[in-house]
Amino acid sequence: MARRKKIYEGKAKTLYEGPEPGTLVQYFKDDATAFNAEKRDVIEGKGVLNNRLSEYFMTGLQQIGVPTHFLKRINMREQLIRAVEIIPLEVIVRNYAAGSMAKRLGMEEGTPLPRPMVEFSYKNDDLGDPLVPEEYIISFGWASQQDLDDMVALALRVNDFLSGVMYAVGIKLVDFKIEIGRLYEGDFQRLIVADEISPDSCRLWDLETNERLDKDVFRRDLGNLADAYTEVARRLGVMPTNSAPLGKPTLIN
Ligand code: TMP
């Protein structure tokens, strides 16, 4: 890795220059943070699990026609991705009240919502990723109305896919966050799913017991985070191994 140029280091992942123009290598760290990095720890194996789980979800999304940045997994902790311009928003979809929504509105966690609700936070750690209305997004030029419509459509497709995949293994998708990037192709640009999809960025509850199988285990000191993620991977049949990635790289069409 030392031979590669570091492009960006975030809290849970590092991006390196890719082997070809327009690509990056995304490295998954074991670091876990919460509450804007006020709480932090190193959870051995988390990066390996999230690399595999994000590969699994992104590959599935591509197979149903939802474009993502994922190209192929390189090894236990790294994947090759398309370089995109990240829109500085966290796109959150909620099916049940939990977390900040439950707190803000005084709702009981787990209350079903009348429909999937999409909200946007401005990605800025210093400000604690504040929730922003669509009018701010358009007025400040972070995205156009067309972008917003496309982002909501993309987020809802991801929601339907992930909800179904999770339901099939006895897990309720309570909410999740995605990040979306702009991919430039000549004169055109389109929006694709970027960053990661993993139990770091979703709320996953056991369908029967409501046991938490996501980063809330760490945020709220509910047990062993790696065990929770391993359980998600086990149910999905995605177990980390030392084997080389299977199959051909999945290319965005
Ligand atoms: P929230 O209820 O704390 O607003 O979180 C909503 C969803 O977004 C939840 O699935 C966790 C995820 N999330 C992130 O991925 N990153 C973050 O920084 C935060 C605050 C939440």
Side-chain angles (χ1 to χ4, degrees):
M1 266 174 0
R3 68 206 134 85
R4 287 199 196 113
K5 188 170 156 216
K6 190 190 285 187
I7 304 287
Y8 175 83
E9 178 151 12
K11 287 175 291 209
K13 299 184 296 297
T14 306
L15 296 177
Y16 296 93
E17 201 170 59
E20 288 164 36
T23 65
L24 294 171
V25 172
Q26 178 164 255
Y27 176 93
F28 287 76
K29 302 193 274 187
D30 280 341
D31 303 49
T33 65
F35 315 118
N36 230 349
E38 267 174 42
K39 179 177 165 115
R40 48 170 76 235
D41 203 352
V42 175
I43 312 286
E44 206 180 317
K46 180 174 84 80
V48 174
L49 285 155
N50 281 354
N51 185 24
R52 292 298 292 250
L53 285 163
S54 203
E55 171 191 18
Y56 181 77
F57 299 130
M58 296 279 186
T59 304
L61 282 167
Q62 270 166 205
Q63 283 169 344
I64 64 160
V66 177
T68 85
H69 73 167
F70 182 83
L71 293 171
K72 70 168 183 180
R73 184 166 58 81
I74 300 168
N75 58 38
M76 299 273 279
R77 288 185 183 271
E78 294 179 322
Q79 49 184 244
L80 186 69
I81 59 170
R82 285 202 190 268
V84 293
E85 183 184 295
I86 293 285
I87 295 176
L89 296 169
E90 302 205 329
V91 185
I92 296 163
V93 183
R94 301 179 189 272
N95 298 304
Y96 297 84
S100 65
M101 171 188 251
K103 193 167 171 195
R104 189 176 314 113
L105 301 178
M107 295 171 83
E108 190 180 338
E109 287 208 305
T111 308
L113 299 175
R115 60 188 174 98
M117 294 168 70
V118 183
E119 64 185 46
F120 300 93
S121 292
Y122 178 48
K123 244 174 90 69
N124 183 318
D125 278 345
D126 294 339
L127 302 174
D129 299 338
L131 188 65
V132 285
E134 295 194 1
E135 191 172 4
Y136 288 18
I137 296 170
I138 291 169
S139 304
F140 290 130
W142 300 326
S144 66
Q145 183 64 56
Q146 181 64 54
D147 290 337
L148 269 181
D149 294 346
D150 291 349
M151 285 195 282
V152 169
L154 212 48
L156 290 174
R157 287 198 74 194
V158 173
N159 185 46
D160 283 345
F161 170 79
L162 275 185
S163 295
V165 166
M166 292 300 177
Y167 177 72
V169 296
I171 294 174
K172 187 191 286 183
L173 179 67
V174 171
D175 57 32
F176 66 93
K177 180 263 310 192
I178 53 171
E179 293 183 24
I180 293 174
R182 286 181 208 283
L183 183 66
Y184 292 96
E185 289 170 330
D187 288 344
F188 297 97
Q189 58 129 353
R190 59 191 179 127
L191 301 185
I192 70 175
V193 179
D195 188 51
E196 74 178 284
I197 300 177
S198 76
D200 267 12
S201 53
C202 300
R203 280 200 176 88
L204 306 171
W205 295 6
D206 180 84
L207 214 46
E208 301 292 324
T209 65
N210 283 344
E211 182 191 354
R212 287 1 184 218
L213 297 170
D214 57 62
K215 203 166 116 184
D216 274 348
V217 171
F218 170 73
R219 293 190 189 97
R220 302 176 187 190
D221 294 318
L222 301 175
N224 184 306
L225 191 72
D227 287 352
Y229 289 20
T230 301
E231 174 62 11
V232 175
R234 188 193 65 77
R235 290 194 196 186
L236 292 167
V238 181
M239 289 301 286
T241 68
N242 285 312
S243 62
L246 296 169
K248 289 186 296 186
T250 315
L251 293 168
I252 295 175
N253 47 31

